[in-house]
Amino acid sequence: MPIENDGIMIILSSPSGAGKTTLVSLLSGIENFEISISHTTRKPRAKEVQNKDYYFVEETEFNRLINNQEFLEYAKVFDNFYGTTRTPVINHLSKGKNVLFDIDWQGADQIKNKKLDYKLITFFILPPSKDVLFKRLSSRDMKDKLIAEERMKQFGRDVLHWINYDYVVINDDLDNCFSKIKGLIDAEINNGSKDYDKEFIREHVEKLTG
Ligand code: ADP
Ligand code: 5GP
């Protein structure tokens, strides 16, 4: 059972480009919320900052962390490795901080299966349409059109995991989406009523994949 003053874990996953990194960054502005900074073997994007967006490491260092069992979870995503180290997460949670995770469905499954003594809420973020997703991916990865195309190819497979999350939220207008997620987190923390329509989401997924 979670201890009353412990923080909670909040996972955001999505098909690439739907906006989870942007949303995690907005949520981290709320008092008492901290981002879990992942390790990755991916190379930094133009605006990304070492030790802030990720700990960018070589594969040898990543393997060392695996062998030392330092990861709470790790996975291979799009040809690179990504992982969450355990110690900083537990330190935050035990000090009553809520920890935000921007991780894929494999990592979310691993954390769920660990059944840690901390409350966990999982969100899956969807784009309003495939056209919008492609535009967002193209504007972010301007340097390499191939990256956007590769990630679009993966979309149909990634989106199928929506069903395993507590809540699925559509990121059309950013402020609305942020408010919706914040409202659901508040409702979970305070045992309040949840504004959530799963059938509407099911129909949206059918439109995206149909
Ligand atoms: P992800 O982390 O899911 O791969 P990002 O947060 O990097 O996605 O968002 C992809 C791109 O879309 C970024 O350039 C971001 O600024 C933009 N973006 C995110 N949410 C919105 C939104 N609601 N409206 C318009 N652009 C958005
Ligand atoms: P990107 O390269 O766009 O930053 O991230 C690619 C994917 O890796 C995204 O789905 C992102 O959520 C996921 N990811 C980032 N960090 C981690 C992590 O520590 N663990 C796992 N499992 N996935 C991660």
Side-chain angles (χ1 to χ4, degrees):
M1 279 289 286
I3 299 172
E4 203 177 325
N5 293 329
D6 281 344
I8 63 172
M9 301 189 288
I10 300 150
I11 295 180
L12 271 75
S13 301
S14 77
S16 185
K20 68 192 161 311
T21 308
T22 308
L23 286 159
V24 161
S25 169
L26 278 181
L27 289 162
S28 74
I30 305 172
E31 200 190 332
N32 216 33
F33 281 56
E34 297 284 340
I35 299 177
S36 162
I37 303 173
S38 297
H39 284 70
T40 182
T41 59
R42 170 168 76 63
K43 297 284 167 260
R45 296 192 185 113
K47 287 184 187 151
E48 285 179 328
V49 178
Q50 169 72 308
N51 302 353
K52 178 171 173 286
D53 294 296
Y54 281 105
Y55 299 110
F56 294 100
V57 294
E58 298 295 328
E59 213 163 310
T60 46
E61 171 61 5
F62 201 94
N63 286 331
R64 188 188 68 78
L65 294 168
I66 296 177
N67 292 333
N68 278 2
Q69 303 191 343
E70 292 195 34
F71 284 123
L72 187 58
E73 64 74 32
Y74 70 91
K76 189 171 189 189
V77 191
F78 304 115
D79 297 333
N80 289 298
F81 288 96
Y82 296 81
T84 308
T85 46
R86 182 190 314 268
T87 307
V89 171
I90 303 297
N91 281 347
H92 283 317
L93 291 169
S94 60
K95 286 185 194 140
K97 305 262 187 210
N98 299 326
V99 181
L100 297 158
F101 299 84
D102 169 348
I103 60 176
D104 84 327
W105 63 270
Q106 304 173 84
D109 275 358
Q110 289 175 44
I111 291 187
K112 257 202 291 189
N113 290 337
K114 290 241 155 89
K115 299 198 191 316
L116 302 173
D117 274 345
Y118 298 95
K119 184 174 172 61
L120 170 65
I121 315 174
T122 61
F123 289 93
F124 196 77
I125 313 299
L126 289 176
S129 67
K130 275 166 89 167
D131 280 354
V132 168
L133 180 68
F134 186 63
K135 283 191 189 115
R136 286 185 192 165
L137 279 171
S138 307
S139 68
R140 187 186 66 187
D141 297 316
M142 256 178 304
K143 247 185 18 195
D144 195 342
K145 197 160 160 278
L146 261 181
I147 292 181
E149 281 167 5
E150 276 305 311
R151 291 190 169 201
M152 283 305 289
K153 275 192 214 151
Q154 184 76 23
F155 171 77
R157 269 166 286 169
D158 283 345
V159 82
L160 300 177
H161 297 282
W162 73 277
I163 198 80
N164 296 322
Y165 285 74
D166 297 325
Y167 300 105
V168 182
V169 182
I170 301 168
N171 179 19
D172 192 347
D173 177 79
L174 187 60
D175 290 339
N176 284 347
C177 186
F178 167 75
S179 299
K180 178 114 195 167
I181 295 172
K182 181 163 183 319
L184 288 166
I185 295 172
D186 287 344
E188 281 277 351
I189 292 174
N190 302 312
N191 267 325
S193 66
K194 284 116 196 154
D195 173 18
Y196 187 62
D197 181 350
K198 196 165 180 180
E199 266 324 295
F200 175 72
I201 294 296
R202 192 183 293 280
E203 282 163 24
H204 186 69
V205 172
E206 276 166 18
K207 272 189 244 155
L208 285 172
T209 53

